[in-house]
């Protein structure tokens, strides 16, 4: 089977997860803290319920496939096809009532992300990509996604979810990017990468990401013409310190600053 064969099924996963999550959004829901340190790492019933729904659908349709999920761990990680799920990327925004969160669904083939979708059910937006192309569907219709040209960091708009999520050393290194960029903004989680693919943001720099935080976004960004790597310039699907750029020139310049 090809990735095209899976696109309709991924749409089913997005619809089912969205229908599960929305009744919880902007309600008085209980919040648990997964963190074993002083850092707050929230999870809600909506996260768990959405991932459970997607897992049931995957197991019923593709029992031979593996699954990696944020809430319920990993199964059959060594399978040729592995689904990587983050039911709510941006839970802190979710519990605050802000609609800058999304469900991330990735399909890996032999370890490489070959299809990804970010679904925002409250707004009704879907960003998807297969490394060769990327697409948007939402209230304004459907269109191809394309990154914008940006010749240098001095002309770039850059995003990170929060410098406070970085350790002290990485925060200082990230400061080099902020000093060189035209505009630096915080927040966004998965939305920052989608806005980069849509041509509204030039650079996203993050640290401490897990595979389920980034795997779905790689085919979207690369499909729109962008670049996603680690800070070391290596493949990003394993997570860690991540840099995404719409223009290869900005990516190269930012990498040099991060590795000085």
């Amino acid at each position: 089977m090809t990735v095209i064969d899976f696109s309709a099924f991924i749409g089913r996963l997005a619809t089912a997860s969205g229908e599960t999550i929305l009744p919880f959004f902007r309600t008085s829901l209980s919040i648990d803290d997964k963190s074993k340190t002083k850092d707050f790492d929230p999870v809600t019933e909506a996260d768990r319920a959405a991932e459970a729904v997607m897992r049931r659908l995957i197991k019923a349709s593709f029992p031979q496939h593996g699954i990696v999920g944020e809430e319920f761990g990993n199964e059959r990680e060594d399978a040729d096809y592995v689904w990587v799920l983050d039911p709510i990327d941006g839970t802190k925004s979710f519990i605050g009532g802000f609609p800058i969160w999304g469900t991330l669904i990735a399909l890996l083939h032999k370890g490489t992300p070959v299809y990804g979708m970010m679904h925002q059910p409250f707004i009704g937006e879907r960003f998807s990509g297969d490394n060769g192309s990327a697409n948007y569907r939402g209230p304004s219709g459907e269109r191809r996604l394309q990154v914008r040209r940006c010749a240098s960091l001095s002309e770039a708009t850059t995003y990170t979810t929060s410098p406070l999520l970085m350790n002290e050393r990485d925060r200082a290194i990230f400061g080099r990017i902020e000093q060189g960029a035209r505009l630096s903004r915080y927040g966004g989680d998965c939305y920052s990468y989608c806005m980069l693919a849509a041509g509204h943001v030039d650079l996203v720099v993050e640290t401490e990401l897990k595979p389920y935080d980034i795997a779905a976004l790689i085919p979207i960004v690369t499909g729109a013409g962008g670049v996603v790597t680690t800070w070391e310039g290596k493949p990003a699907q394993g997570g860690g310190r991540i840099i995404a750029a719409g223009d290869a020139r900005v990516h190269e310049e930012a990498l040099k600053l991060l590795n000085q």
Side-chain angles (χ1 to χ4, degrees), residues 125-165:
E125 293 186 318
R126 293 184 181 186
F127 300 80
S128 61
D130 62 5
N131 294 315
S133 64
N135 298 279
Y136 167 87
R137 191 176 84 184
S140 60
E142 299 183 22
R143 66 178 184 275
R144 290 283 293 271
L145 294 172
Q146 182 66 47
V147 298
R148 68 184 177 191
R149 292 176 59 81
C150 183
S152 67
L153 183 61
S154 63
E155 301 174 22
T157 295
T158 184
Y159 265 75
T160 192
T161 299
S162 172
L164 296 178
L165 296 174

Side-chain angles (χ1 to χ4, degrees), residues 6-213:
F6 290 117
S7 60
F9 177 71
I10 292 172
R12 285 179 57 203
L13 292 180
T15 297
S17 62
E19 289 173 348
T20 303
I21 293 168
L22 281 182
F24 294 96
F25 187 48
R26 293 181 177 171
T27 65
S28 299
L29 74 171
S30 61
I31 301 165
D32 296 327
D33 185 0
K34 294 188 292 184
S35 176
K36 294 180 174 59
T37 66
K38 66 179 182 179
D39 296 323
F40 181 47
D41 187 11
V43 60
T44 71
E45 188 177 348
D47 296 81
R48 298 188 183 104
E51 184 171 320
V53 165
M54 290 190 286
R55 281 177 177 266
R56 284 198 296 270
L57 284 171
I58 292 168
K59 290 178 180 180
S61 300
F62 304 105
Q64 74 279 21
H65 288 191
I67 303 175
V68 173
E70 178 174 12
E71 307 307 333
F72 297 112
N74 306 339
E75 303 176 55
R76 294 177 56 86
E77 291 178 83
D78 58 347
D80 281 353
Y81 285 100
V82 177
W83 298 87
V84 183
L85 310 173
D86 189 345
I88 301 178
D89 183 80
T91 301
K92 292 173 184 175
S93 292
F94 181 86
I95 64 178
F98 291 89
I100 48 174
W101 51 271
T103 298
L104 297 179
I105 305 168
L107 178 62
L108 274 58
H109 182 235
K110 296 184 178 179
T112 299
V114 293
Y115 195 93
M117 176 177 286
M118 191 283 266
H119 180 218
Q120 213 306 322
F122 184 75
I123 300 174
E125 293 186 318
R126 293 184 181 186
F127 300 80
S128 61
D130 62 5
N131 294 315
S133 64
N135 298 279
Y136 167 87
R137 191 176 84 184
S140 60
E142 299 183 22
R143 66 178 184 275
R144 290 283 293 271
L145 294 172
Q146 182 66 47
V147 298
R148 68 184 177 191
R149 292 176 59 81
C150 183
S152 67
L153 183 61
S154 63
E155 301 174 22
T157 295
T158 184
Y159 265 75
T160 192
T161 299
S162 172
L164 296 178
L165 296 174
M166 301 176 181
N167 61 45
E168 187 174 348
R169 179 177 180 273
D170 286 347
R171 194 180 309 143
I173 294 172
F174 174 70
R176 303 169 192 163
I177 300 294
E178 286 199 296
Q179 291 173 6
R182 181 177 66 177
L183 176 65
S184 179
R185 301 289 293 169
Y186 303 154
D189 291 287
C190 57
Y191 245 105
S192 298
Y193 297 86
C194 293
M195 292 301 96
L196 186 147
H200 305 301
V201 171
D202 303 296
L203 187 67
V204 181
V205 181
E206 306 264 41
T207 65
E208 312 298 335
L209 296 191
K210 301 295 189 294
Y212 45 74
D213 294 319

